[in-house]
Amino acid sequence: MAMDAGMMMGRGMAVMAGWLAISGCGDDGAGPDTAGAATDAATSNVGEEESSGEGADGTEGAPAARPNWHEDIAPLVARSCEGCHSDGSIAPFPLQNYEQTSPLGAAIMLQVEAGLMPPWHAVETDECQPPASFKHDARLSDEEIQLLRDWVDAGTPEGDPALAAPIPEPPSQDLVDPTVTVTMEGSLSIEPQDNVLDFFHCLSFDPGNDQDVYVNGMQVVPGNRSIAHHTLIYVDVAGESAAWENGQSFDCGGGAGEIDEALLIGGWVPGSLPIETPSDVGILLPAGARIVYNMHYHASVTGPESDDSTGIALRWTETPPEYVSQFQLIGAPAAGDVMTDPFMIPAGASGHEEIVEYEVPDIGLADVRVWSVLNHMHRVGVDMKTSVMRGNEETCLLQTPGWDFDWQRFYEYDVEIGDTFRVQSGDVVRVHCSYDNTLDNPAVVAALAEVGLDEPQDVFLGEGTLDEMCLTGVGVAYRF
């Protein structure tokens, strides 16, 4: 690129100044319409005898029951479940072998048929057909669900290990080949203060780069998952946060603290995979800059909890990419106008809607692409849709109609950057959120119980878990 890094940063900030982060567990490229080879083989052989192998009763030479674990179910579980359900991961129990999985077969089937597992909430609907498929789609096809059901109905037979199908590599919860991993300085303690459970503290990290680099992968490493609500990641361009004692700034609000020049570059919520940009896309990290986390901690009602090991892993290149990326927050509370002002969900309201719209300013001849989208609400939310309006045409970027606060993630389009949606001056980004503030919403019941309440309350716009938001985080890449 002819433009140097400093000029790129300046022009990029100018282009995106009006465009004001927050991935779960899944397989790369496997979607609801893609059944694996093991599925095809199994469905074509259900009820048929094998010429060799061990039967369901362990009799040598008897035909192996189909479907069985080794030939049919193990590849499916590895692809769509094991990324979360492995030793030391975020799930409460592993599903890495027959002995661990077989006793839970019926319970797994219930979760799958209810649409709760594998967790995936970017759903195609009559009102939303995204412009491209998403990476890491962990959903099971109808054929795979039937295969799992047949296995459970047959008594979860193990089959013959000698006939085992190839096992796909589960998606990694850790960033591959990080250039550097940095851990927070000092420690901090989080505990309830009366009814206040939510705290926003900023942490500063020195990535140690002595020249401009371009980040193409990053991972938040939460030190104490029991209190980590979410994280926003900023670049402190001038490195001002180096002056913070122990690299910490307490009660820093919803941004990067009192820093003159901070750029939002990503974020983390429980269940997220590492953020990895498309090829030819990178996030500029200038020499001497620091990384700042805005850590939203949610206190445990059982007492104080500490954090002394939150960190960040970064992977970068020194070669300027074709596109430079930033993350933009649009909605409430962020860029945009609340069309349903004032923002408030009344106690007892069902089907309540809030809409925020933001008009893209003049971006000149810049080529601006959307490569990642995240929807974000809290406990009262039930459905959310992010769209771009261009005249009378609507392009739905993402809809999450089965909203689940505990399973948020970035959804990244599975296409090359030049094939993603291109933003134009005058486009209107519309963020449409639906809420159920009744006791019919289990998430509301749980949120009320957490603070000792048993009746719905009026809910207002705010940062806390018991407040609400209607907010989208958009990964935008641009070139000139």
Side-chain angles (χ1 to χ4, degrees):
M1 298 178 70
M3 188 179 306
D4 65 27
M7 292 176 62
M8 183 183 298
M9 170 70 79
R11 292 194 62 181
M13 291 177 64
V15 168
M16 307 311 297
W19 267 73
L20 294 179
I22 298 193
S23 63
C25 306
D27 159 65
D28 194 358
D33 299 321
T34 307
T39 302
D40 295 335
T43 52
S44 66
N45 289 292
V46 171
E48 295 183 10
E49 294 187 353
E50 299 293 335
S51 59
S52 63
E54 184 175 291
D57 60 358
T59 304
E60 188 68 30
R66 299 291 299 273
N68 62 58
W69 169 258
H70 289 295
E71 295 177 80
D72 309 306
I73 304 302
L76 184 157
V77 171
R79 192 202 77 205
S80 292
C81 308
E82 194 175 324
C84 288
H85 289 272
S86 58
D87 292 329
S89 66
I90 62 174
F93 50 83
L95 298 174
Q96 295 178 279
N97 54 48
Y98 178 75
E99 289 73 22
Q100 294 170 342
T101 309
S102 176
L104 299 172
I108 292 171
M109 194 66 245
L110 288 174
Q111 293 289 300
V112 169
E113 291 187 321
L116 300 176
M117 288 289 157
W120 183 267
H121 299 90
V123 178
E124 301 83 1
T125 68
D126 290 341
E127 57 182 306
C128 184
Q129 295 292 321
S133 59
F134 295 103
K135 294 180 180 179
H136 310 299
D137 191 338
R139 289 177 291 178
L140 304 181
S141 68
D142 291 342
E143 292 80 5
E144 289 171 324
I145 294 174
Q146 184 61 53
L147 186 71
L148 183 61
R149 184 183 297 113
D150 291 341
W151 181 62
V152 172
D153 289 345
T156 65
E158 180 178 6
D160 186 353
L163 301 175
I167 302 297
E169 187 72 23
S172 175
Q173 298 296 297
D174 297 319
L175 181 65
V176 177
D177 296 329
T179 307
V180 65
T181 300
V182 186
T183 302
M184 67 184 287
E185 301 176 43
S187 64
L188 52 81
S189 180
I190 302 295
E191 60 181 308
Q193 297 180 10
D194 296 325
N195 284 336
V196 178
L197 301 176
D198 297 280
F199 303 90
F200 298 84
H201 301 323
C202 289
L203 308 179
S204 176
F205 303 87
D206 180 8
N209 56 305
D210 56 6
Q211 60 183 317
D212 293 349
V213 296
Y214 298 88
V215 175
N216 54 38
M218 57 183 146
Q219 175 193 5
V220 172
V221 183
N224 186 340
R225 291 181 179 271
S226 68
I227 55 174
H229 181 289
H230 76 256
T231 305
L232 295 178
I233 310 171
Y234 294 87
V235 172
D236 171 11
V237 178
E240 297 176 39
S241 60
W244 295 350
E245 184 177 358
N246 290 325
Q248 300 174 15
S249 176
F250 295 99
D251 301 319
C252 60
E258 296 181 0
I259 293 174
D260 291 332
E261 192 176 349
L263 298 176
L264 179 69
I265 61 168
W268 171 89
V269 291
S272 291
L273 290 170
I275 294 174
E276 298 184 88
T277 64
S279 58
D280 298 322
V281 177
I283 300 164
L284 176 60
L285 182 62
R290 294 178 72 93
I291 298 293
V292 169
Y293 280 1
N294 181 287
M295 288 292 299
H296 178 174
Y297 290 106
H298 186 67
S300 170
V301 296
T302 60
E305 293 279 353
S306 64
D307 182 12
D308 61 4
S309 56
T310 287
I312 185 168
L314 297 170
R315 186 182 63 222
W316 65 56
T317 177
E318 298 173 3
T319 304
E322 184 177 4
Y323 288 81
V324 175
S325 179
Q326 292 177 252
F327 284 84
Q328 319 301 326
L329 294 180
I330 299 172
D337 299 317
V338 178
M339 311 305 292
T340 45
D341 192 54
F343 188 110
M344 193 271 282
I345 303 117
S350 178
H352 180 87
E353 297 182 344
E354 297 285 350
I355 299 173
V356 183
E357 293 187 349
Y358 176 76
E359 183 173 347
V360 178
D362 183 6
I363 57 177
L365 298 177
D367 181 1
V368 182
R369 304 281 179 162
V370 175
W371 63 272
S372 177
V373 186
L374 166 112
N375 283 347
H376 180 67
M377 298 185 291
H378 291 171
R379 301 291 186 181
V380 185
V382 292
D383 188 5
M384 181 171 174
K385 183 173 73 166
T386 298
S387 303
V388 175
M389 311 300 297
R390 184 174 296 165
N392 294 324
E393 295 184 3
E394 176 180 4
T395 299
C396 180
L397 301 179
L398 172 67
Q399 185 173 13
T400 48
W403 175 255
D404 186 339
F405 177 81
D406 294 321
W407 287 104
Q408 304 176 53
R409 61 173 294 160
F410 281 105
Y411 292 95
E412 303 167 8
Y413 296 113
D414 193 18
V415 292
E416 296 298 321
I417 190 64
D419 295 325
T420 58
F421 180 82
R422 183 172 183 176
V423 177
Q424 297 181 7
S425 302
D427 285 348
V428 174
V429 181
R430 176 178 293 169
V431 187
H432 187 162
C433 298
S434 300
Y435 304 90
D436 181 355
N437 193 11
T438 74
L439 297 180
D440 291 332
N441 183 347
V444 169
V445 176
L448 291 171
E450 192 173 47
V451 292
L453 300 173
D454 57 10
E455 290 295 334
Q457 310 292 307
D458 291 345
V459 174
F460 299 90
L461 183 65
E463 298 279 359
T465 304
L466 300 181
D467 300 318
E468 261 304 341
M469 291 187 178
C470 181
L471 181 67
T472 188
V474 184
V476 182
Y478 57 88
R479 69 174 179 179
F480 298 96

